Amino acid sequence: MSTWVATTGFLGGLVVLAVTGRGVLGTAVAPRRRPSRLVFTTVQVLLRISRQINRAVPSRRIHRLVIRMIGPVAVLFPPLIWGSGTVVGTALLAASVGAAPPDIRAVEYALGQLDDPKWAGHGVPLAVYGCLILIFIGLATRITALASAYQRRERFVWALASEARSCLDAEDVIVAHMRGGTPDSLDRMMSTWQLWIADLRFSHTSYPELLTLPSSPDLSWLDATLVLMDVAALIDALAPGTEPPPTRPLLAAGCAFVQEMARELEVSAVRTTLSLHGREERSFWTSIARLTDAGIHAERDYRTARSTFQRWRSRYAPYTAALSDLMCVQDGLPVGELMPEVPFEALVNTLDSSAEKMSQAFSPL
C-alpha cells in the first residue's frame, strides 16, 4: 500500500469514527436538547416516503400499517448506521497502519471473522465489539426514554379526546371548564397544558422519532396541540386582563414548538394574516357569543379581539396544518357532529353578518 493511500485511509477512518462517535455520544449515550442531524434526516425521509405511499395507495389499512412501521424503523436505523460506521472506520484505520489486509477483508478483520494467523492477535475486534455494545446500551436507554415520553404525550391526548375532536371544539372546552363564571377550573387547565406543551417541545426536539409514532385514533397529538392553542388564543383575545397566567407563555411555547418542528423537517408553511385552518365553518362572532354566555367578561371589542386571535393563530395554525399533511394526519370531526345536531346552534353557526353589523352588536362590550 502506497503512502498516499495509507494516509487517505487513516484520515478517512478517523473522520468516520469521529462522526460516528459524536452521533452516538450526542444522541444515545449523553443526549442533550438536540440529537444528531442523522436522526432528523431519517424521520424526515421516512415521513415523506410514507406520505407518498399513502397518496398512491388510498387505503386506510395500508395507511395504518405504514404509520406503525416508520416508528420502529426511525428508532433502529440510526444505531445501524453508527454500528456500520464503527466497523468501517476501524477497518480503514487498521488497513492504513498495516494491521489488516488492504481490501474488503479488513471489515472481516475488524469483526474478528478473518481466519488468517497473519492478521491475528491485535485486539482490534475486542475494541469494535466494545463500541457496538456501547451503542446497544445507548439504544436501549433511548428506547426507554422514548416510551416514557410517548406515554406522557398520549395520556394527555386520550384525556382531551373525550372533550374535543377538532379545533372547532375549543369553545366547548372553555365552556366546560367555566364554573359559575369563575376561572378556577380554567386556571388549572391552562397550568396543566403549559406543562404538557413544555414537555412536548423538549421531548420531540430531543427524540424526533416521536413524530413517527402513531397517536390516538380519535385525536392526534397535532390536533390536540391545535385545540389547546385555540383555547388559549380565544381567552387571550377576549379577556387579556383576567386570563390565567399561563395563557401567553403557553401560546409562546406552542408557537415556537410547531415552528421549530417545521423548520427541522423542512416543511414549508404559508403564514397568512387570516388563518382559518380547520375553522372555516365557525364565525368568530359565534365564538365570542358562546364564551360571553359562559361567563367570560369581554374586555375587547369585536375587531380588536378578532385581530388578536388571528395574530396568534397565524403563528401556529399554518405550521400545524403543514406538519399534519406531512404525517398524513386525518382531520377529526367536532364532538358536536358526533352527537344529535342542535337546530339553534346550527342556525347560529350559519349566520353571515358583516363586520360592521357585528361591531355594532358587540358595542356594549
Side-chain angles (χ1 to χ4, degrees), residues 167-168 170-171 230 234 274-276 278-291 302 305-306 309-310 313 344-355 358 362:
C167 59
L168 293 178
E171 294 86 349
D230 276 356
L234 285 169
L274 182 63
S275 172
L276 296 176
R279 298 185 67 90
E280 294 84 356
E281 301 177 3
R282 177 70 53 82
S283 67
F284 191 69
W285 172 253
T286 305
S287 301
I288 289 180
R290 290 208 60 188
L291 297 182
Y302 171 80
R306 184 172 183 271
F309 176 71
Q310 288 297 333
R313 205 166 197 272
F344 176 75
E345 183 178 359
L347 176 62
V348 171
N349 290 340
T350 57
L351 291 177
D352 185 15
S353 303
S354 64
M358 290 182 182
F362 204 68

Side-chain angles (χ1 to χ4, degrees), residues 43-356:
V43 171
Q44 178 186 356
V45 171
L46 289 175
L47 287 175
R48 294 188 183 279
I49 292 175
S50 67
R51 181 175 62 173
Q52 295 300 324
I53 293 175
N54 292 326
R55 288 181 176 179
V57 185
S59 171
R60 286 198 170 186
R61 184 176 181 181
I62 299 298
H63 170 75
R64 288 194 295 266
L65 179 62
V66 171
I67 290 298
R68 290 174 182 174
M69 287 296 296
I70 61 177
V73 173
V75 174
L76 297 176
F77 183 75
L80 290 177
I81 296 297
W82 296 328
S84 301
T86 301
V87 174
V88 172
T90 304
L92 288 174
L93 285 178
S96 65
V97 299
D103 49 34
I104 192 63
R105 292 182 300 165
V107 175
E108 298 180 11
Y109 167 80
L111 293 174
Q113 303 297 322
L114 187 60
D115 295 331
D116 190 341
K118 179 181 178 181
W119 310 105
H122 295 94
V124 174
L126 183 62
V128 170
Y129 282 109
C131 293
L132 294 179
I133 291 174
L134 181 62
I135 293 175
F136 177 80
I137 294 175
L139 173 62
T141 304
R142 189 169 181 82
I143 291 177
T144 303
L146 275 171
S148 177
Y150 180 70
Q151 290 177 357
R152 293 195 304 269
R153 185 189 79 182
E154 291 305 303
R155 188 181 299 114
F156 175 88
V157 172
W158 280 80
L160 183 61
S162 62
E163 298 182 77
R165 299 292 178 88
S166 78
C167 59
L168 293 178
D169 293 320
E171 294 86 349
D172 296 333
V173 174
I174 297 176
V175 172
H177 285 81
M178 289 297 295
R179 297 291 182 268
T182 62
D184 295 340
S185 179
L186 205 60
D187 289 352
R188 291 192 295 270
M189 178 187 71
M190 299 300 288
S191 298
T192 302
W193 287 4
Q194 183 190 17
L195 295 177
W196 184 75
I197 278 289
D199 181 69
L200 196 71
R201 185 182 181 187
F202 175 80
S203 61
H204 285 63
T205 303
S206 302
Y207 308 100
E209 300 95 330
L210 287 168
L211 297 168
T212 64
L213 298 181
S215 194
S216 165
D218 298 324
L219 181 71
S220 70
W221 67 271
L222 277 170
D223 287 337
T225 303
L226 186 60
V227 169
L228 65 89
M229 294 290 285
D230 276 356
V231 168
L234 285 169
I235 295 174
D236 183 69
L238 195 60
T242 57
E243 67 184 10
T247 302
R248 291 191 180 182
L250 185 153
L251 285 167
C255 292
F257 167 62
V258 295
Q259 291 178 21
E260 287 173 1
M261 289 296 99
R263 183 172 59 254
E264 293 290 351
L265 297 176
E266 299 180 3
V267 176
S268 59
V270 179
R271 181 174 172 179
T272 58
T273 304
L274 182 63
S275 172
L276 296 176
H277 300 82
R279 298 185 67 90
E280 294 84 356
E281 301 177 3
R282 177 70 53 82
S283 67
F284 191 69
W285 172 253
T286 305
S287 301
I288 289 180
R290 290 208 60 188
L291 297 182
T292 52
D293 289 343
I296 295 181
H297 176 66
E299 302 172 9
R300 288 189 170 121
D301 57 37
Y302 171 80
R303 293 180 182 274
T304 305
R306 184 172 183 271
S307 175
T308 302
F309 176 71
Q310 288 297 333
R311 187 165 59 251
W312 276 118
R313 205 166 197 272
S314 64
R315 295 172 57 186
Y316 62 82
Y319 301 95
T320 305
L323 290 170
S324 298
D325 180 65
L326 176 65
M327 301 175 196
C328 302
V329 173
Q330 301 291 333
D331 295 332
L333 292 175
V335 171
E337 295 188 16
L338 302 176
M339 305 176 182
E341 186 175 353
V342 181
F344 176 75
E345 183 178 359
L347 176 62
V348 171
N349 290 340
T350 57
L351 291 177
D352 185 15
S353 303
S354 64
E356 295 181 358

